[in-house]
Amino acid sequence: MMMMRRRRTLVAVYVFATVGLLWASEDVSVVATASPGDVVRLHCYSEGSVTPSSARWSKDGIEVGSTEATPPGGQRLEVLADGTLRFRTVAEGDEGVYLCQAALPANMTWKVRIRLQVANVPATHPECSWLRSEDSTQVRLGCAWAGCYPDPALRWTQERKRDPSADGDRDRDRDRDRGGRVLASGVTSVLWVALNRSLLADGQTLRCAAQHLALAGGREATCTFTLEAPRPEVSPLAWAQEGDNVTLTCTEATSVPPADTAWWREAGSAALAQGPKYALSREGAAHSLTIANVSRDDGGVYFCRSENPLALHRAEVYLSVRASSDYTGAVIGVFVAALIVGLAAVVAKLLFANRHRVCLGGPFGPSPGDGGDVLNLVESDEEQIFQAAPRLPPITALVQIHPLPTGEQEGVANENGREEAPDLVTL
């Protein structure tokens, strides 16, 4: 049997076997669990038996102390006079199997093996993971907390939405305990639970909580994740010319657990596979389908199909394939349209440049009899001109026509320095 005292945290002792025959050479297996900082005593005899005359303790074949040798002061381990191995302060690394060999009267020996476990939890939190099964509507959820000693108590729950009126950590913990549905629990290093689509919902939160005796105050270490249905995104239209290669891209990055994404040609048919015609690739969240040497038969609807245990969603892409002749006709049409627009621009420019001739009814270009006449508007003081004219709106301008013979310079004056009297034309 073994006796312990608690120093800082609770010390738990588990006995897997008891002494069957006190005076026989028989091994006894005892398991003790302590936390760092506890004071632990491992007894080399059972209650009511004779105190051994000598005792020797070893761990993993290495002697750690005996009644015949007094350990130096300050050591954490010491063997008392009655053969008890005493730990002044248990620390990490003290765990293991300890063997006591004691000498009893009548030349008999006593052996006992005691496994000491030192409770320990890592600084990290548990890890939540998932595994896809052959059935796409099912999933296995795993929760593991590596480095715990002994194994923690794990529990999977489905959390409900927290009450917004809850105030403080105590209220949140109360809502959590009252709300979540327990899916699975157990004392183990890894806890798995299988769920199907009927138990899952988009936006639902799954939580794994771990309890351990090394966690003070009944605290829990947790990991959670929120389920998300797949939402594939594509460009709905794509164009290609016969003989070219075309690539269709589908992006899906929001699903939890990650969805299986594949390209399909028709609903209900098999997924497109890698081959000479189709090339499948993935870069991050982008799933690409490349169609080589596109023909008219390749036109139509393609599906990007994403499925996880929550739901199945599809996104459609319509591929339009055009022949080379279609592009030739389009090029010719564009050329003819550009030619018409250019001719119209030239004609408009010519009309604008000769607008005065068009308005007067004259021909385009210079007239044969045009000798370079200059029209000057002059004022006249002769009243008889206006008196002889018909009753018209007042006109104060006269038109003078000065024929300029070819070869003569402009502005030639007469001998008196004055121009000859011009012919008057009344408008």
Side-chain angles (χ1 to χ4, degrees), residues 296-335:
R296 289 278 189 177
D297 296 336
D298 294 325
V301 179
Y302 290 80
F303 298 94
C304 177
R305 184 178 183 273
S306 295
E307 182 179 15
N308 71 350
L310 273 75
L312 166 63
H313 289 164
R314 298 184 305 176
E316 298 182 1
V317 180
Y318 183 81
L319 176 61
S320 177
V321 180
R322 297 182 179 180
S324 302
S325 59
D326 298 339
Y327 289 92
T328 302
V331 172
I332 294 176
V334 172
F335 176 77

Side-chain angles (χ1 to χ4, degrees), residues 332-356:
I332 294 176
V334 172
F335 176 77
V336 172
L339 182 60
I340 293 174
V341 172
L343 291 176
V346 172
V347 172
K349 183 176 181 181
L350 290 175
L351 291 175
F352 181 79
N354 297 274
R355 60 188 182 279
H356 58 286

Side-chain angles (χ1 to χ4, degrees), residues 199-221:
L199 299 175
L200 304 175
D202 191 13
Q204 186 181 61
T205 299
L206 300 178
R207 177 176 181 270
C208 175
Q211 294 179 334
H212 198 273
L213 58 89
L215 296 176
R219 294 185 299 108
E220 292 182 344

Side-chain angles (χ1 to χ4, degrees), residues 89-137:
T89 302
V90 173
E92 295 182 8
D94 290 339
E95 63 273 0
V97 177
Y98 291 84
L99 173 63
C100 177
Q101 294 177 324
L104 301 177
N107 294 327
M108 297 188 68
T109 59
W110 173 264
K111 292 182 181 180
V112 62
R113 280 191 173 88
I114 301 176
R115 177 182 296 275
L116 176 62
Q117 296 179 341
V118 178
N120 178 47
V121 292
T124 59
H125 291 276
E127 294 183 0
C128 294
S129 60
W130 48 76
L131 289 177
R132 296 291 300 274
S133 61
E134 296 181 357
D135 186 356
S136 59
T137 63

Side-chain angles (χ1 to χ4, degrees), residues 168-189:
D169 296 339
R170 182 175 60 183
D171 294 335
R172 285 193 291 269
D173 294 340
R174 179 184 60 193
D175 289 345
R176 180 198 63 199
D177 295 337
R178 292 179 181 178
R181 173 188 175 186
V182 178
L183 302 174
S185 61
V187 178
T188 178
S189 59

